[in-house]
Amino acid sequence: GQFDYQADDVLAVNREEHGALADACQWLMDLLSDGRVRSSEVWKLAAKEKIAEKTLRRAQKKVGVIPRKEGIGTESFWYWELPKEAK
């Protein structure tokens, strides 16, 4: 059939998306390399870096980030940390 897009245009979008994911993975590993960080802080810093929420979630899974909850009730919070083998 007929398409309004050139193959190079379609492939370029995929390369950009892959690059964004790789960049987000590296950013996340750098951020968590010194230890755990509260998830709320991760999201705030990612927004400043213009990392899309979907990309950050994909990076979280790809890197193997471990989300953990600490505390009880209103004193609890979530944080993210790298798996031991990634440190």
Side-chain angles (χ1 to χ4, degrees), residues 41-70:
E41 186 69 11
V42 173
W43 289 110
K44 185 170 77 174
L45 294 171
K48 283 185 179 181
E49 294 293 321
K50 299 190 181 350
I51 298 172
E53 182 178 330
K54 184 177 178 181
T55 303
L56 185 58
R57 290 218 182 267
R58 289 172 53 216
Q60 176 191 14
K61 289 179 184 176
K62 186 168 185 164
V63 170
V65 169
I66 302 166
R68 296 196 192 274
K69 187 176 182 182
E70 186 173 284

Side-chain angles (χ1 to χ4, degrees), residues 2 9 25 50 52 55 80:
Q2 295 279 335
D9 296 334
C25 288
K50 299 190 181 350
T55 303
W80 288 9

Side-chain angles (χ1 to χ4, degrees), residues 35-43 66-81:
R36 68 186 190 171
V37 176
R38 284 190 183 206
S39 62
S40 59
E41 186 69 11
V42 173
W43 289 110
I66 302 166
R68 296 196 192 274
K69 187 176 182 182
E70 186 173 284
I72 299 173
T74 59
E75 300 297 317
S76 66
F77 64 92
W78 284 90
Y79 63 89
W80 288 9
E81 66 182 347

Side-chain angles (χ1 to χ4, degrees), residues 10-28:
V10 173
L11 294 174
V13 170
N14 193 26
R15 280 194 299 270
E16 289 172 12
E17 186 175 307
H18 179 66
L21 177 59
D23 291 346
C25 288
Q26 186 61 55
W27 176 85
L28 192 52

